[in-house]
Amino acid sequence: MENNPIKVMYGEHEIIVKAEKIIENLENTWENNPEEYADKVKKLVEFFREYADGYHHRKEEEVLFPAIKDHPDFVLQEIIDEFMEHHEGFREFACEIIEFNNEGDYAKAHKVLKQYINDLLDHIAAENEELFVLADNLFSDNEKETIYFKFMDIDMAAMLV
């Protein structure tokens, strides 16, 4: 299938996962160059807020999750609620990281950043292995194409901002 929204989701996850290596490489760099560390953390949080949350999670929350919940063959409503709770938790992590970073408490900022990426990787694995497989099997090709074009509408709106 050419216009497959599930492939879009997998692809976006692949981009987000690359942040793990960046976070690993930042470990203890604040000791020699705190300003550079602080700047990189701000950019990482900006990436998580704009891309992971504002772009990827937006597609899930506005399009994919409602489509799954509304599907007559879907009965596990709690799983969607759990993924939504994860998204809220990630937003809270981002605020906490920035707060510690702004205070110059880089060790705490990094500790929260590592917890954030670990939780995010677990979340991504659960979506990849459970939610996206379920969605791919749940929707017809026509339904998937409709979801895909709704995703593209979000992409276009993001470019206009």
Side-chain angles (χ1 to χ4, degrees), residues 9-20 47 51 55:
M9 295 284 97
Y10 283 126
E12 290 175 3
H13 276 174
E14 288 176 19
I15 292 167
I16 296 165
V17 165
K18 291 179 181 180
E20 179 185 26
F47 165 75
Y51 186 82
Y55 188 71

Side-chain angles (χ1 to χ4, degrees), residues 9-121:
M9 295 284 97
Y10 283 126
E12 290 175 3
H13 276 174
E14 288 176 19
I15 292 167
I16 296 165
V17 165
K18 291 179 181 180
E20 179 185 26
K21 190 73 173 164
I22 296 166
I23 293 167
E24 286 175 13
N25 290 335
L26 282 175
E27 184 86 39
N28 296 320
T29 60
W30 60 84
E31 293 171 358
N32 294 325
N33 196 336
E35 295 84 16
E36 185 178 342
Y37 174 83
D39 185 55
K40 287 181 178 178
V41 168
K42 284 179 188 172
K43 288 177 180 166
L44 270 169
V45 171
E46 185 176 315
F47 165 75
F48 288 129
R49 284 180 168 163
E50 290 182 13
Y51 186 82
D53 192 43
Y55 188 71
H56 177 78
H57 290 163
R58 180 177 172 203
K59 288 176 185 170
E60 291 175 339
E61 292 174 3
E62 293 181 13
V63 180
L64 186 61
F65 292 172
I68 292 171
K69 281 183 115 173
D70 291 344
H71 197 281
D73 295 335
F74 181 70
V75 293
L76 299 170
Q77 302 295 331
E78 308 81 41
I79 193 171
I80 300 297
D81 296 338
E82 187 176 328
F83 285 124
M84 289 290 289
E85 287 174 21
H86 292 175
H87 291 180
E88 286 301 320
F90 298 137
R91 292 175 187 123
E92 291 169 16
F93 271 134
C95 291
E96 197 174 339
I97 293 162
I98 288 298
E99 186 177 318
F100 286 131
N101 198 50
N102 289 343
E103 292 170 358
D105 195 339
Y106 304 124
K108 281 188 181 176
H110 200 74
K111 182 180 178 185
V112 177
L113 189 57
K114 283 173 40 179
Q115 184 64 52
Y116 177 98
I117 195 66
N118 288 335
D119 287 2
L120 187 58
L121 293 174

